Amino acid sequence: MEKKLYRIEQGKMLCGVCMGISDYLDIDVTVIRLLFAALTVCSAGTGLLLYGAAAIIMPVKPA
């Protein structure tokens, strides 16, 4: 089965982007959330911009 990148609605905090990325990469969701937080703080909001773009572009995983 082919892997696809989706936003995951179950267990989400905001839009489900980090849950989808962690499921796709088989990494703990906390690591992904920390990376987005670090990008936001250390690079003048880049993480927030990337998260927003991903929330708009990534489709929601079908039930």
Side-chain angles (χ1 to χ4, degrees):
M1 190 166 120
E2 184 179 326
K3 277 180 116 173
K4 292 193 177 187
L5 183 60
Y6 292 108
R7 286 188 296 132
I8 298 177
E9 294 288 314
Q10 293 176 320
K12 68 179 185 172
M13 288 191 118
L14 291 177
C15 295
V17 172
C18 292
M19 287 291 293
I21 292 172
S22 71
D23 184 56
Y24 184 78
L25 297 176
D26 292 324
I27 299 174
D28 185 31
V29 69
T30 306
V31 174
I32 303 297
R33 288 177 178 150
L34 287 172
L35 287 173
F36 270 108
L39 269 174
T40 300
V41 171
C42 296
S43 60
T46 303
L48 192 58
L49 291 173
L50 289 174
Y51 189 92
I56 293 169
I57 295 169
M58 289 171 58
V60 177
K61 187 173 186 174

